[in-house]
Amino acid sequence: MARQGRSRGSLEQEVLAALGATRKPMSVQQVLEEVDPSLAYTTVMTTLSRLFEKNAVVREQSGRAYLYSVTGGPQGARASMTAHSMHRLLESGDDRRSVLSRFVDELTPADEKLLRRMLDAPSEPRKRTKKA
Amino acid sequence: MISLALLPVGLSVLLAFGGPRLARRIPGRSATLLLTVGALASALSVGLVLCAIGCLAMAQWGPFASLGHWSPAAVTSRDPLPDGVDLACGMVAIALVLASVTHFLILSRRLVWSATMCRRLGEEHAGELVVLDAEHAEAYALAGLPGMTVVTRPMLSALSGVERRALLAHERSHVAGYHFAYVNLVQLSATANPLLRPLVPAVRLAVERWADDDAAAAVTDRRIVATSLARAGLARVGGRLPAGALGAAASDLETRLDSLVSPRFGRQQTLIGVAGVVVVAVGCTVSSALLGIHLNGIVEWAQTIGRHR
């Protein structure tokens, strides 16, 4: 897969997302493997340090290395509260579609079948894909 | 004059019918821009036409006519529309203006709330991403200046590393491109001109396809975006019942997957779309302007009659 340039911001987001996906604290190496094995170790390490300085992640010492995880507990409590109450408001069914765009919206049963079929099928395009 | 008044209405119907169909076949970004421009032009001109005819009705009202020193009878003699129609247009104009203003006020309040949320979240979380420890798998972009991406942990766990990258790139596209602006402009247009209602779901689909294209560029493999859509969709279904089935037309999700897996550049259709929107925009602008001039001419002529009394 060809390497696309990432902006600093997008790498930070991917690292945060990788940490968010797993429940256990991860080392730099583990984050690297989760995000993109082709990245440089120092790049991921720098990104994690930056996130730590911004209080977006917490770290604990484990032998010689640090283990990182997404901010939780008292540090992140106030931040979580805002985010959670906002999230609840948006979920409450009050029509806020004007400010929101979901990655995937409501699915019909037909959609669900289509998605399952899509994931089960081996990777072959239906028609020859034309390049843009 | 009647044809001048009917042309914007006819063009609105054309746009509402052809727009969504064409939009599915051209790239998301082009579709979004074309739908928005078409909707605005059509809504403004139909609004102008209705207001102008309403004004013509009012111009035949004695007390108002005496303020402007024109002869109401003279206006009536030149008015090609029957009395009832004039008045009806005026009433419809008032109703639509009121609806649009209400919509605008409600929307503004929502946007202020949303932008405030984004600012607060941006300060509390580093950058434009919030990872939320919630029960259901969710991922969305919130409107703001700039906006925010919110993803829940169940959603993140459902995807692989590169699929997460596609998801984030998709939401980032919404945030960086201020897609909420296009959607809301079309929604407002549809309030002002209810004939344009079909354009609202069409522009929503168009911005999703725009973001899908940007996500595909970020991961360089369109199929990865398709699989992340699939996994994200199934992760969402895990928690709740899917909604009832819609009609025979391809669902939005199906259209998005189709665009990703078998993309067509759609150059010819894009050109048709551009031509169509130009026709709509120019036709609407010119006919409403001419109508305005014509009606103004009637009142001015009625003024000369009024002065000679």
Side-chain angles (χ1 to χ4, degrees), chain B residues 3-306:
Chain B
S3 51
L4 285 178
L6 285 178
L7 187 63
V9 174
L11 289 173
S12 302
V13 171
L14 192 69
L15 184 64
F17 183 77
R21 280 159 186 77
L22 194 68
R24 281 167 184 256
R25 294 178 172 76
I26 68 179
R29 183 168 172 270
S30 313
T32 306
L33 296 171
L34 291 176
L35 286 171
T36 307
V37 169
L40 284 172
S42 144
L44 285 169
S45 64
V46 169
L48 265 162
V49 162
L50 287 172
C51 288
I53 298 177
C55 286
L56 194 67
M58 221 164 58
Q60 298 167 48
W61 190 46
F64 186 63
S66 60
L67 279 175
H69 304 293
W70 63 72
S71 147
V75 174
T76 311
S77 71
R78 280 278 181 96
D79 179 7
L81 298 167
D83 257 359
V85 174
D86 278 6
L87 203 59
C89 287
M91 309 255 83
V92 170
I94 292 175
L96 291 177
V97 166
L98 282 176
S100 306
V101 169
T102 310
H103 181 149
F104 180 75
L105 291 173
I106 295 176
L107 176 65
S108 303
R109 233 178 42 167
R110 291 249 168 83
L111 285 174
V112 165
W113 172 83
S114 182
T116 311
M117 279 292 121
C118 287
R119 192 174 42 84
R120 238 194 277 166
L121 289 170
E123 288 162 7
E124 293 167 358
H125 303 251
E128 293 170 7
L129 172 65
V130 174
V131 172
L132 205 55
D133 210 340
E135 202 193 322
H136 296 300
E138 279 284 3
Y140 51 86
L142 198 58
L145 301 163
M148 284 294 269
T149 299
V150 179
V151 194
T152 62
R153 295 182 85 158
M155 178 62 89
L156 293 172
S157 331
L159 305 174
S160 70
V162 70
E163 286 167 352
R164 281 194 293 267
R165 190 171 173 210
L167 167 61
L168 292 173
H170 174 108
E171 299 306 337
R172 209 164 30 243
S173 164
H174 283 320
V175 169
Y178 298 100
H179 293 173
F180 72 91
Y182 300 100
V183 172
N184 282 301
L185 282 171
V186 173
Q187 276 191 310
L188 264 169
S189 303
T191 301
N193 180 357
L195 292 169
L196 299 175
R197 286 254 169 86
L199 296 188
V200 176
V203 77
R204 285 189 177 280
L205 175 59
V207 300
E208 291 309 322
R209 291 177 58 237
W210 184 352
D212 285 342
D213 287 340
D214 285 349
V219 297
T220 63
D221 182 350
R222 294 183 76 85
R223 216 194 138 79
I224 291 179
V225 183
T227 57
S228 28
L229 258 181
R231 266 185 249 280
L234 291 173
R236 279 201 81 210
V237 170
R240 341 111 173 285
L241 297 164
L246 296 168
S251 75
D252 281 1
L253 190 69
E254 216 181 306
T255 307
R256 283 172 73 186
L257 288 170
D258 192 49
S259 292
L260 285 166
V261 168
S262 9
R264 301 168 215 88
F265 188 52
R267 172 168 258 143
Q268 222 182 13
Q269 284 104 327
T270 308
L271 287 174
I272 294 175
V274 171
V277 167
V278 167
V279 164
V280 167
V282 169
C284 284
T285 311
V286 167
S287 57
S288 46
L290 286 177
L291 183 71
I293 293 171
H294 182 86
L295 293 182
N296 190 52
I298 294 180
V299 174
E300 279 185 346
W301 175 78
Q303 273 181 327
T304 62
I305 302 285

Side-chain angles (χ1 to χ4, degrees), chain A residues 81-94:
Chain A
M81 248 167 48
T82 313
H84 273 97
S85 56
M86 174 214 68
H87 185 68
R88 258 196 307 271
L89 263 169
L90 288 167
E91 297 280 281
S92 71
D94 177 52

